[in-house]
Amino acid sequence: MIRRTGPLLAAALLSAALLTSCTSDTPSDGPSAPAGSASPSQDGGEDAEFFTQAEYEQQLALTRETPEGPEDRPWEQMLRPEMADTSQYAVEGDDVHLCFSNAGVFNPWRQVGLRTMEAEVALHEQITEFTVVDAEGQDDKQISDIQELSNQDCDALIVSPNTTATLTPAIEEACGRLPVIVFDRGVNTDCPVTFIHPIGGYAYGAAAADFLVENVAEGGNILALRISPGVDVLENRWSAAELAFEEAGLTVADVEFTDGDPAVTKSIVTDAIQRHGGIDGVWMDSGATSVAAVEAFEDAGEEVPPITGEDQQDFLQAWDERDLTAVAPTYPTFQWRTPVVAALRVLAGEEVPVEWRLPQPTITQDTLADYLSEDMPPLHYAMCGCEGMPGYPQDWGGE
């Protein structure tokens, strides 16, 4: 039985996805950054507040490694796992009540993710109750949600934090009562049994930047389109890109924030073209408004330069139909399956990684056809890992 509170009616999920577009990593409204976060550095990636050289180097190294785990189930794969003993959390019987405190479903990425998580839950008969609470992008509400769930009969608690620092105390408190599994965004504590996430923001930002370095002549003008400042994952993406552009001798003509708004994106691109006499490449820290950027060049009568996007179907379709020079780093939606898998392993007393690092594929011209699907909605994320699940594609809005 799936029990939800908050605006999570299944019928609204994919219809909302068709109308909403924003970053995959931060709320579209409400708190969007950890307390004390600063604006982006203007002094190069290596000096950015959010740049850590060791983590940057590790993430880039991980992109070149082969993960452990089943080849056809990337949501169960892991990179450099250090396993944790979970025998203390083992429960008797096959009657599991799994609880989930969600930051929200305020963008298509999260809507596709939640639908995928629900489908994963449905695969496991031992999960007899699945309680989902939606924080609606509000830290205060999520703190209250976590406290309430911790006092219920949940066997394990999954949390996707709205922000990092503010949610940390609530999660630490919950850890004292039941096993906690954190995914997507992190917190400033190691008390969760496992923290699940793809490789990271540096790897994403570098993949997009390296593509432009390969396809834009030295000295070319790069337009960097960002969602919002002060969010750790997004800042990591940008700091890695800054470093790559600086080392390659590319000029960052403008760094602009779009708020995930297609109209704002179009206006920014149009203005940049006029002011600089043309743009040679477009880097984006999230691909939700990539199609709007493409359309802005077309409206201006300009050839679309090399551009980065994400695995949303509308961008993949535009890439294919317009024969763009493009690449799509991903923050794979299949990660929403992993916390359910992890919770069941924990409750069975099986080992799980302390930090469960998932692979983070990049879609290139050579692999575009593998992820392009004309039967799926424009804002569906191709890296969902949901193909072959019961109800696919209809339950994800497909035909």
Side-chain angles (χ1 to χ4, degrees):
M1 177 177 67
I2 296 177
R3 188 171 68 203
R4 304 189 191 95
T5 65
L8 294 177
L9 295 177
L13 290 178
L14 265 294
S15 61
L18 298 177
L19 299 174
T20 311
S21 180
C22 61
T23 174
S24 61
D25 299 323
T26 181
S28 58
D29 53 30
S32 61
S37 295
S39 298
S41 167
Q42 301 298 322
D43 301 319
E46 67 273 25
D47 297 323
E49 176 185 351
F50 289 90
F51 187 87
T52 303
Q53 184 71 32
E55 178 64 18
Y56 166 80
E57 293 175 354
Q58 181 186 63
Q59 288 190 20
L60 266 57
L62 287 172
T63 64
R64 299 187 292 270
E65 296 183 10
T66 301
E68 299 178 20
E71 184 176 352
D72 61 342
R73 298 196 297 274
W75 55 91
E76 294 185 19
Q77 294 176 0
M78 51 192 75
L79 288 154
R80 298 188 189 177
E82 295 182 10
M83 307 304 284
D85 179 14
T86 69
S87 57
Q88 63 179 306
Y89 301 114
V91 297
E92 298 290 336
D94 294 325
D95 188 1
V96 171
H97 180 192
L98 190 58
C99 295
F100 175 36
S101 170
N102 191 10
V105 287
F106 32 68
N107 62 50
W109 184 87
R110 303 192 70 83
Q111 292 153 11
V112 172
L114 179 60
R115 181 65 197 93
T116 303
M117 177 182 279
E118 291 177 335
E120 179 65 34
V121 166
L123 294 176
H124 304 280
E125 294 182 355
Q126 65 267 49
I127 303 176
T128 55
E129 189 171 0
F130 181 45
T131 300
V132 181
V133 184
D134 181 4
E136 303 172 32
Q138 301 174 38
D139 283 346
D140 289 347
K141 185 176 186 310
Q142 189 166 33
I143 290 170
S144 176
D145 291 343
I146 291 172
Q147 291 171 341
E148 181 178 352
L149 291 172
S150 299
N151 289 319
Q152 294 185 16
D153 60 346
C154 305
D155 292 304
L157 174 63
I158 297 169
V159 182
S160 176
N162 188 56
T163 60
T164 298
T166 307
L167 268 296
T168 296
I171 289 176
E172 286 182 322
E173 182 180 353
C175 286
R177 300 184 178 182
L178 77 172
V180 177
I181 295 158
V182 171
F183 84 103
D184 173 26
R185 306 166 181 169
V187 286
N188 297 328
T189 176
D190 60 2
C191 79
V193 181
T194 182
F195 170 37
I196 299 163
H197 62 93
I199 293 174
Y202 296 122
Y204 184 111
D210 289 346
F211 170 79
L212 293 178
V213 168
E214 294 173 0
N215 287 278
V216 177
E218 184 175 354
N221 284 334
I222 301 297
L223 173 61
L225 297 178
R226 304 192 55 201
I227 296 295
S228 58
V231 180
D232 54 0
V233 174
L234 301 180
E235 293 292 355
N236 292 162
R237 293 178 183 183
W238 174 231
S239 60
E242 278 188 296
L243 185 60
F245 294 145
E246 181 180 346
E247 291 179 346
L250 296 181
T251 301
V252 179
D254 289 311
V255 182
E256 299 286 352
F257 293 96
T258 69
D259 295 323
D261 188 322
V264 172
T265 300
K266 277 191 172 185
S267 177
I268 290 171
V269 174
T270 300
D271 180 63
I273 293 171
Q274 294 173 347
R275 286 189 296 107
H276 298 289
I279 294 295
D280 302 305
V282 179
W283 180 93
M284 306 188 76
D285 69 1
S286 177
T289 60
S290 297
V291 172
V294 169
E295 292 172 346
F297 283 99
E298 294 174 338
D299 292 347
E302 297 282 330
E303 182 178 351
V304 181
I307 186 170
T308 73
E310 209 166 353
D311 56 319
Q312 270 190 189
Q313 284 297 326
D314 62 348
F315 176 68
L316 302 184
Q317 290 166 7
W319 178 357
D320 181 61
E321 293 169 0
R322 294 166 167 87
D323 194 25
L324 301 177
T325 300
V327 74
T330 71
Y331 190 65
T333 329
F334 61 63
Q335 69 183 278
W336 288 70
R337 300 186 67 167
T338 314
V340 178
V341 173
L344 292 178
R345 292 185 184 180
V346 169
L347 295 175
E350 300 174 4
E351 288 186 334
V352 295
V354 174
E355 186 172 3
W356 194 324
R357 298 184 185 90
L358 296 164
Q360 187 170 298
T362 295
I363 300 175
T364 67
Q365 185 65 52
D366 291 339
T367 60
L368 173 60
D370 296 336
Y371 297 99
L372 181 64
S373 177
E374 299 291 344
D375 296 331
M376 297 305 291
L379 302 186
H380 177 72
Y381 279 79
M383 207 68 67
C384 66
C386 54
E387 302 85 353
M389 300 187 83
Y392 183 87
Q394 290 82 7
D395 289 352
W396 283 261
E399 298 178 359

